[in-house]
Amino acid sequence: MLHMIPGDPVSIALGPRATPEIQAAYAAKMHLDKPLIYQFLIFMGNVLQGDLGADVFSDRSVTTTMAEQLPFTVTLAVSAIGWAALVGIPLGCLSALKPNTWLDRFTGVLSVGTIAIPSFLVSIWAILLFSVTLRWMPVIGAGESGNILDQVHHLILPAFAVGLGWVGYLARMVRASMLEVMGENYIRSARAFGLRSRTIIFRYALKVAILPTITLIGIGFGSLLSGAVFAEIIFSRPGIGKLIYDMVLSRNFPVIQGAVLVTVGLYVFVTLIADLVVSWLDPRVRDSL
Amino acid sequence: MSINGLSRRALLQSIAFGSALSVASSIPGISFSASGGKLTVRFNRDMDSLDPGYYVGGHPDNDVNWCCMPALVHYDYVDGMAVWAKSPFVDRVEVVSPTRIEFKLKSGLMWSNGYGELTSEDVAFSYDRMAQSEWKGDYVAYDRTEIADKYSGALILKQAFAPFMTQTLSSGTGVIISKKATEAVGGKFTNDVPATCGPYVMEWKQGQYVRMTRNPEWTGTKPQYDEIYCPIVTEDSAAALAYEAGELDVAQISSDTYARYLKQVPADSKLTVAGALQYMWLGMNIDNPKMKDIRVRQAIQHAVDVSAINQGAYSGTAELSSGIVCPGLVGKRNQTGYSYDPAKAKALLDEAGVSGLSLTLRTLNNQERILASTIIQANLAAIGIAVEIMPLDSGPFWEMGQESKGDTWKDMEIWLMRYGSGPDPYGAFQWFVRDQVGIWNWERWSSDEFEKLYVELVAVSEAEERHKIAIRMQEIMEETGAYVFLTHEPEVFVHRDNISPRFAPSGETMLSYFKA
């Protein structure tokens, strides 16, 4: 795909004024003077030996770069999905337990609103309000390494911006599942046996209704690994998304290939974990495995 | 009641203020920057490589090297003109003849990591290596370094080369590296510099920041700030917001932000134009059948409203251009031989017997260029030329005029182009000589007089003579009809008003010279 982007990668990477010698050295270093299939085989051969290659400009190992950048993206994704789940799941439950009331309608409008607003807009508004006007929150960076308090302080706005849309998704998903589950025969039976509402909701209904939400959280986490790019750019946070964006602009192929491979691997891993959690919670799924 | 002249109230106020200050300082995100201790400066992009022989060049690699590595000369300014001046690493640098530059290093300047003292052998090693490196083009006139003693020597040029001091030695390619340390790592390095020597030492986190702190071994003049923290903020609008939120002390800003700040500068801030070494023009391919007639090209020169482009695309923040030599440099032209005159343009087209002409205007697809293209489209429509705008990504754009990249150059008619220059007019003219036709001279003209003047410009060192040569060279370019000179975009920085900055003419920061 990268090779299909118009333009000579050497000219783009080095700028228009690089001498022919610099261009030739760069092309050789990136194996651009070899056929595409050969380049792919070199990359895959190195990957199988645990070598993701080296940054074309700085010569740093791509593996080292990944190891440095990945924790920032994972932290941001976990924080964003985490707070979204903490707010979205109870909102969805409340909405389902009081259907067609003002609370349900308010939650519906709120959910659709949060889904509809792009995260980059939320980022900018949040910066203008909390950083520029009130000066409560920092705008750029990920905080001093080793200073947990500072890092958390730098995480609040990006996590808020990235997670806001997921509040709506999760609330709508939980509401729909809960409504379906609350109409099931075993819930009616539980009511007929005189169980308390709290027991019915938390012990029987939510346990089943939450299952599709867990799958959604898994998918959401995966998509945030690369989807956090807006927040990472606007807040100048290190991370995989921003790394890929910067490297695509400079056509630094080894880093792009390494970052995409790691992101895809992580996505598969997270989806697998979500499926395992669902099977652990749901005997029907477990038995079918 | 008072204690040694200090009233009880004043004492309590001082204690309260001091306590508040210390508490506030401990809260993350609240810092009292630019107070002499820490300076926070935006870096627009991450470092690529600090090895002057094999780096990509420009910001931020030069910004860092000028703080952490030696050089014989640095940029300075006299009456607003960029000049070379001896660096803090030398006792003496003198151009004793057009081909001989003598120097004497300061004694006792130590390389880090135990690589000993900075010596004339390091100077010779560095420049001999540059002459063989990927940047050997900058050292085309360099012959050798004669070592006189441990600290003294002379650079010998093969021929007189006027830009050598300002274009070659003062820029990033003039950085000196440690011979022993470089050889110890195999002759090349990137960002893990094997030995540094300068007022600052550097710590780098890829994609995050560069932090420079005082070098405890530095025996030269102490720089102002204990720490210079440079977060990497690639997005212009994010940088402006971070500056307004108080997180940055110095930030380069985009033309949009510049226009906004010109109306209202943020509190306690100043704007500084570091330079305007960009030159933008509307180019015309004189080999294209539609553009062969010089009267058509001259008609276009008269039809384009350059002021409207500056207002529409750059919010009036750029300097109008009259040639390719940029503001502040020897050879800057103040007036073109043509002016905006649609009636004259129409008359020239009629004289050429051209009607119903349609042209394709190729441009990079960024906001400013598209706006400028739209204005040109309207200007040319007014004289009966229909223009189709073709926005291009940087890849196809930068190779379209190069014969080695295909046949697109044959189809090129008109285009918007911008080049960057060094602090010497040579830096601009080098792309328009005969050898560059089909490489970077996309207008595809050549002139014997221009070639002769180019050789003179490089050899002559007397400023007034060089000025005359550069002016005539730009007149020749204009007379081809292949250029409508448009703008010089400025490199603008916003900074706290208690900071006195210094920038290279090409827009890099010279952080060790910043003062509070």
Side-chain angles (χ1 to χ4, degrees):
Chain A
M1 290 292 286
L2 284 169
H3 288 266
M4 290 168 70
I5 300 173
D8 174 21
V10 179
S11 303
I12 295 166
L14 299 177
R17 300 298 177 67
T19 62
E21 289 87 354
I22 300 177
Q23 293 191 349
Y26 180 87
K29 198 170 180 180
M30 294 214 307
H31 305 295
L32 291 172
D33 50 350
K34 305 273 189 325
L36 195 58
I37 184 71
Y38 185 85
Q39 295 174 39
F40 179 72
L41 290 175
I42 290 175
F43 174 69
M44 289 313 295
N46 290 337
V47 167
L48 290 175
Q49 296 173 56
D51 177 12
L52 292 177
D55 185 307
V56 175
F57 299 109
S58 69
D59 255 346
R60 294 190 87 218
S61 152
V62 174
T63 312
T64 308
T65 303
M66 291 297 111
E68 284 175 1
Q69 304 287 321
L70 195 60
F72 292 104
T73 302
V74 170
T75 307
L76 176 59
V78 167
S79 311
I81 279 286
W83 90 261
L86 284 175
V87 175
I89 292 173
L91 264 183
C93 285
L94 273 177
S95 192
L97 294 175
K98 312 252 181 212
N100 302 319
T101 61
W102 68 267
L103 182 68
D104 183 28
R105 292 199 179 93
F106 173 74
T107 309
V109 170
L110 191 71
S111 302
V112 173
T114 58
I115 293 167
I117 302 172
S119 65
F120 71 88
L121 267 185
V122 178
S123 303
I124 291 169
W125 289 340
I127 289 173
L128 286 172
L129 178 62
F130 296 110
S131 302
V132 176
T133 306
L134 299 172
R135 300 218 170 184
W136 289 350
M137 297 290 169
V139 182
I140 50 172
E144 289 282 334
S145 55
N147 185 341
I148 298 293
L149 199 62
D150 192 32
Q151 290 180 348
V152 170
H153 197 202
H154 280 79
L155 185 62
I156 293 172
L157 279 192
F160 169 74
V162 171
L164 190 63
W166 284 94
V167 173
Y169 280 124
L170 293 173
R172 300 313 289 168
M173 173 63 85
V174 170
R175 179 186 182 275
S177 292
M178 279 292 279
L179 282 175
E180 192 182 332
V181 171
M182 293 300 280
E184 294 280 342
N185 288 339
Y186 73 92
I187 296 292
R188 275 204 293 275
S189 304
R191 283 208 177 105
F193 278 112
L195 292 178
R196 288 188 306 169
S197 279
R198 187 181 296 176
T199 308
I200 294 170
I201 292 165
F202 290 105
R203 195 157 172 191
Y204 297 105
L206 189 57
K207 196 175 170 186
V208 175
I210 203 81
L211 295 175
T213 309
I214 290 171
T215 308
L216 183 68
I217 287 174
I219 293 168
F221 180 81
S223 71
L224 279 183
L225 289 175
S226 53
V229 60
F230 285 120
E232 287 175 351
I233 291 170
I234 291 169
F235 291 97
S236 298
R237 279 181 68 83
I240 293 286
K242 181 166 176 286
L243 182 76
I244 293 175
Y245 171 78
D246 289 341
M247 296 300 121
V248 166
L249 290 184
S250 61
R251 303 291 201 273
N252 198 333
F253 286 180
V255 184
I256 301 167
Q257 288 165 337
V260 169
L261 189 75
V262 169
T263 308
V264 169
L266 205 61
Y267 193 106
V268 171
F269 177 72
V270 170
T271 310
L272 179 69
I273 294 290
D275 288 345
L276 290 174
V277 170
V278 168
S279 68
W280 175 60
L281 288 173
D282 188 346
R284 293 168 301 177
V285 177
R286 193 165 55 227
D287 293 343
S288 69
L289 288 176
Chain B
M1 180 186 166
S2 68
I3 304 167
N4 293 334
L6 184 68
S7 70
R8 191 172 71 94
R9 177 173 292 180
L11 180 68
L12 290 173
Q13 281 174 341
S14 302
I15 292 169
F17 180 73
S19 307
L21 198 68
S22 61
V23 168
S25 300
S26 66
I27 299 171
I30 298 180
S31 65
F32 296 91
S33 46
S35 59
K38 181 179 175 184
L39 181 72
T40 309
V41 181
R42 175 199 181 191
F43 272 7
N44 303 357
R45 53 194 290 263
D46 203 355
M47 297 193 305
D48 287 317
S49 171
L50 295 176
D51 185 336
Y54 301 91
Y55 76 158
V56 175
H59 170 83
D61 303 344
N62 285 343
D63 309 52
V64 174
N65 269 342
W66 287 330
C67 286
C68 305
M69 299 296 278
L72 295 180
V73 291
H74 281 160
Y75 287 119
D76 203 349
Y77 292 88
V78 175
D79 299 331
M81 285 276 226
V83 295
W84 65 268
K86 75 183 175 85
S87 76
F89 300 85
V90 294
D91 283 327
R92 184 176 78 94
V93 175
E94 190 180 348
V95 181
V96 293
S97 81
T99 56
R100 185 180 179 86
I101 299 131
E102 291 182 353
F103 66 88
K104 182 168 189 289
L105 298 168
K106 282 188 173 155
S107 60
L109 299 178
M110 305 304 290
W111 290 106
S112 63
N113 300 327
Y115 282 104
E117 205 174 352
L118 171 68
T119 67
S120 49
E121 209 175 320
D122 293 317
V123 177
F125 171 77
S126 300
Y127 297 149
D128 288 350
R129 182 174 177 268
M130 287 305 297
Q132 306 297 320
S133 73
E134 290 175 357
W135 287 89
K136 62 186 174 191
D138 279 19
Y139 281 77
V140 67
Y142 172 81
D143 184 27
R144 65 190 188 280
T145 299
E146 287 178 357
I147 297 173
D149 60 39
K150 190 175 180 185
Y151 305 113
S152 304
L155 311 186
I156 310 298
L157 306 189
K158 293 176 210 160
Q159 66 209 46
F161 189 68
F164 193 73
M165 298 305 287
T166 48
Q167 184 90 22
T168 306
L169 285 191
S170 301
S171 71
T173 54
V175 162
I176 299 163
I177 56 175
S178 161
K179 182 180 182 219
K180 283 183 204 161
T182 307
E183 286 175 347
V185 295
K188 272 169 84 170
F189 56 89
T190 54
N191 290 330
D192 295 322
V193 185
T196 62
C197 173
Y200 288 102
V201 289
M202 178 264 294
E203 175 204 349
W204 173 56
K205 280 270 182 197
Q206 188 176 25
Q208 297 180 55
Y209 61 81
V210 176
R211 189 197 309 276
M212 290 181 279
T213 48
R214 281 187 196 280
N215 177 1
E217 295 185 353
W218 175 246
T219 54
T221 313
K222 290 255 182 296
Q224 174 79 48
Y225 294 97
D226 295 334
E227 180 186 341
I228 300 174
Y229 177 67
C230 308
I232 294 155
V233 185
T234 51
E235 191 58 30
D236 285 333
S237 47
L241 288 171
Y243 182 83
E244 288 167 30
E247 282 188 62
L248 295 170
D249 299 317
V250 182
Q252 188 171 12
I253 53 174
S254 64
S255 58
D256 284 356
T257 307
Y258 182 34
R260 183 159 63 88
Y261 285 177
L262 279 175
K263 287 179 191 150
Q264 186 170 9
V265 185
D268 307 322
S269 298
K270 271 187 183 170
L271 298 171
T272 296
V273 176
L277 296 188
Q278 316 269 4
Y279 51 104
M280 183 169 153
W281 72 93
L282 177 70
M284 298 171 231
N285 180 0
I286 67 168
D287 283 347
N288 186 284
K290 290 183 185 174
M291 309 303 296
K292 277 265 185 210
D293 191 326
I294 192 170
R295 289 169 296 187
V296 174
R297 304 198 295 268
Q298 287 169 337
I300 292 174
Q301 285 181 326
H302 286 288
V304 174
D305 185 351
V306 179
S307 297
I309 291 172
N310 189 26
Q311 286 301 327
Y314 297 99
S315 310
T317 58
E319 183 164 332
L320 298 188
S321 170
S322 306
I324 63 169
V325 177
C326 297
L329 304 187
V330 167
K332 166 78 172 70
R333 209 168 165 230
N334 295 320
Q335 205 176 343
T336 53
Y338 57 83
S339 57
Y340 175 55
D341 187 347
K344 189 169 181 183
K346 188 78 180 71
L348 279 162
L349 275 187
D350 292 342
E351 192 184 313
V354 173
S355 63
L357 182 64
S358 62
L359 297 173
T360 301
L361 168 57
R362 294 165 195 253
T363 176
L364 271 174
N365 60 356
N366 66 37
Q367 185 191 338
E368 288 93 350
R369 307 282 176 93
I370 297 292
L371 283 169
S373 301
T374 310
I375 294 164
I376 292 168
Q377 186 182 41
N379 288 158
L380 296 189
I383 61 163
I385 299 176
V387 171
E388 182 196 345
I389 298 170
M390 185 190 285
L392 294 163
D393 284 333
S394 60
F397 181 83
W398 286 111
E399 62 190 39
M400 65 185 180
Q402 299 191 49
E403 289 177 14
S404 62
K405 306 280 183 185
D407 287 335
T408 311
W409 64 271
K410 292 178 183 166
D411 302 326
M412 287 170 65
E413 292 161 356
I414 57 175
W415 58 90
L416 272 184
M417 179 57 104
R418 192 188 75 178
Y419 282 175
S421 162
D424 188 279
Y426 153 84
F429 287 116
Q430 62 180 317
W431 311 111
F432 301 96
V433 292
R434 186 170 284 136
D435 288 350
Q436 289 290 323
V437 172
I439 302 174
W440 295 114
N441 177 352
W442 293 356
E443 290 76 20
R444 307 184 63 81
W445 60 276
S446 65
S447 144
D448 291 339
E449 186 189 359
F450 189 88
E451 298 293 307
K452 182 173 154 284
L453 290 171
Y454 179 72
V455 173
E456 285 178 23
L457 180 77
V458 170
V460 170
S461 56
E462 207 273 308
E464 201 173 323
E465 186 61 24
R466 300 189 85 215
H467 180 77
K468 282 183 195 162
I469 294 169
I471 293 286
R472 178 60 197 142
M473 290 173 83
Q474 290 168 97
E475 284 170 0
I476 293 170
M477 292 179 76
E478 183 184 293
E479 285 161 10
T480 65
Y483 299 88
V484 182
F485 302 117
L486 299 177
T487 58
H488 301 288
E489 290 166 55
E491 308 274 359
V492 185
F493 289 78
V494 60
H495 56 88
R496 305 296 161 201
D497 59 8
N498 61 347
I499 297 172
S500 171
R502 191 196 286 188
F503 301 99
S506 40
E508 297 101 329
T509 53
M510 302 184 72
L511 294 165
S512 60
Y513 290 97
F514 275 43
K515 303 275 183 219

